[in-house]
Amino acid sequence: MTATAPADGSAWEPPPGAGPYRPGACVETGTGAVTCDRPHHFEIMASGDLPADLRAAYPPPVGPLRPGCTVALTRYLGSVDAEASRLEALIMFPTRDGWTAGERWYACLVADRGPDSGWVHRTGNLGGALVGGLGAFQRCLVGEPITDPEGVVDCDQPHRSEAVPGVLVLGGPTDPPPPDFQRLLIDRVLPHCDAAVATYLGGGRPGVRSGGLGPLAGNWAAGVRTAVCYAVADTPTSGVMGR
């Protein structure tokens, strides 16, 4: 896998996969695979065999799988700005019974985060959903990204923060952590987000400032290598602020 969407903006065509689920399949909690025209919470983006060093103990540690599933999110949705959307990557592996029976697969899932941190019931497929931009999947927050990163609401509801196009890639899946995360924020993330938010707003706007949500040491180790920029309003607004 690579860390960029196809040059022509098309959706990723994933490899065949492994285990009981294939890319493009839809999954419902408590039911398993369902046809995608039925309401479901999850969609498979990629699947594969667990690496040999993750096959010993149950449950397997998912941290080493997160970078690949983050890449799958970008590729499957067709946009480098996938992490500025409400669509999030999750990881699934066999049940304990399946593990006992010898199953050693994993799958990368995508789900739509709704209000109150719940997952949205959807119909249809999400492959290529962001090729034309964030659209209805843009991530809006009731509060500020640093203090309330999970406070997701629909953008037509009162909110103060909007994720904007321009997700900044800070490192590859195998890159070591930077020596100083505070310096990384000051030197790279904040200037980038100032520019991204200005572009999004069409210039400066009174009562709206830029903000950036980047990785810290703990989530860098968990595979988070990007920073997401936000337009942050002093007071709640309804509808998107960007042009």
Side-chain angles (χ1 to χ4, degrees), residues 100-120:
T100 301
E103 297 180 15
R104 295 294 186 271
W105 54 270
Y106 74 97
C108 301
L109 289 69
V110 58
D112 184 355
R113 170 119 21 212
D116 302 319
S117 294
W119 301 115
V120 176

Side-chain angles (χ1 to χ4, degrees), residues 84-86 113-114 135-143 148-163 200 230 237 239-241:
S85 77
R86 298 197 319 259
R113 170 119 21 212
F137 296 111
Q138 184 174 7
R139 190 179 188 92
C140 289
L141 305 175
V142 172
D148 189 21
E150 304 301 330
V152 178
V153 293
D154 291 335
C155 294
D156 60 358
Q157 299 299 309
H159 62 275
R160 289 186 52 214
S161 301
E162 299 174 8
Y200 175 72
Y230 286 83
T237 182
V240 296
M241 295 179 274

Side-chain angles (χ1 to χ4, degrees), residues 20-120:
Y21 299 105
R22 295 294 185 270
C26 295
V27 179
E28 174 55 0
T29 304
T31 301
V34 297
T35 58
C36 293
D37 59 355
R38 292 180 55 188
H40 57 272
H41 285 106
F42 308 107
E43 186 171 329
I44 307 297
M45 300 184 294
S47 60
D49 294 316
L50 281 171
D53 59 349
L54 300 183
R55 296 180 181 182
Y58 188 87
V62 298
L65 303 174
R66 291 193 187 281
C69 287
T70 298
V71 170
L73 183 75
T74 296
R75 299 284 289 177
Y76 191 74
L77 299 177
S79 173
V80 295
D81 289 324
E83 291 179 78
S85 77
R86 298 197 319 259
L87 303 175
E88 299 182 16
L90 306 165
I91 300 171
M92 180 170 64
F93 47 81
T95 63
R96 185 173 291 278
D97 287 345
W99 191 272
T100 301
E103 297 180 15
R104 295 294 186 271
W105 54 270
Y106 74 97
C108 301
L109 289 69
V110 58
D112 184 355
R113 170 119 21 212
D116 302 319
S117 294
W119 301 115
V120 176

